[in-house]
Amino acid sequence: MANDLNRYNGFLGNLGSWMNDDFFKDFGKNMFSKLPVKSDMKTDIKETKEAYQVKIDMPGFDKKNIHVNYDDDTLSIVGSRDSFSDESNKDGNVVYSERSYGQFARQYHLPDVDRDKVAAKYDNGVLSLNLPKLEEVEDSSTHIEID
């Protein structure tokens, strides 16, 4: 039994060193680096009784390339980023790049927003929005007794 356990532990140790080999170091990163990543626009939404406060990380965007729309209880953000020049090696090839460019979009369901009072600001790569809620209308219903 002890011999079997030692062989098993030895196998696991060898497997671990094999998996840490430089060949596999960036295997997953390289394999999936071309897939679209939802995390390009990290978002925080805070809801109070009066409003929604939304903050979206959008570094590298030009303000003129960010479009904000609110329709049918949905806040839509679309931003585009042009290609960029990057450092390249002596042959002119890009050595490594994790930055992405193109069009990015997110939508958020935020009901009952007063469209006329929405405010947006873009500063230091963060889009901040204040979306006041519609003021509640007093209940104008009347209870009717049934005879």
Side-chain angles (χ1 to χ4, degrees):
M1 177 76 165
N3 261 349
D4 290 339
L5 188 57
N6 284 336
R7 272 193 299 241
Y8 179 71
N9 285 335
F11 171 75
L12 287 180
N14 289 337
L15 180 63
S17 66
W18 180 68
M19 293 298 284
N20 288 329
D21 192 318
D22 284 340
F23 176 76
F24 291 100
K25 187 169 90 177
D26 291 325
F27 183 72
K29 185 184 289 185
N30 291 333
M31 178 186 258
F32 299 106
S33 65
K34 301 299 180 203
L35 297 176
V37 179
K38 184 178 179 181
S39 65
D40 282 16
M41 294 171 66
K42 302 257 191 226
T43 305
D44 294 328
I45 300 176
K46 179 181 173 185
E47 181 179 12
T48 65
K49 209 173 173 183
E50 296 81 28
Y52 299 101
Q53 282 107 28
V54 179
K55 290 189 182 219
I56 306 169
D57 287 346
M58 299 182 73
F61 286 84
D62 190 333
K63 183 169 77 169
K64 69 180 181 187
N65 294 329
I66 299 173
H67 304 282
V68 180
N69 187 44
Y70 182 82
D71 186 39
D72 197 26
D73 289 345
T74 303
L75 174 67
S76 301
I77 311 293
V78 178
S80 60
R81 212 173 11 210
D82 293 329
S83 63
F84 51 86
S85 60
D86 210 335
E87 296 298 318
S88 48
N89 65 10
K90 63 183 177 182
D91 298 325
N93 298 317
V94 173
V95 177
Y96 191 76
S97 179
E98 289 185 337
R99 296 184 295 163
S100 52
Y101 58 92
Q103 185 166 316
F104 303 86
R106 293 283 306 265
Q107 291 186 326
Y108 312 89
H109 179 74
L110 302 171
D112 304 322
V113 169
D114 188 344
R115 300 169 194 236
D116 298 328
K117 295 180 182 176
V118 173
K121 179 181 177 185
Y122 182 67
D123 188 37
N124 290 327
V126 178
L127 177 64
S128 300
L129 297 123
N130 186 45
L131 297 100
K133 293 181 180 179
L134 291 169
E135 292 182 23
E136 292 185 42
V137 179
E138 287 187 35
D139 187 13
S140 60
S141 65
T142 304
H143 178 74
I144 299 172
E145 291 293 326
I146 301 173
D147 293 331

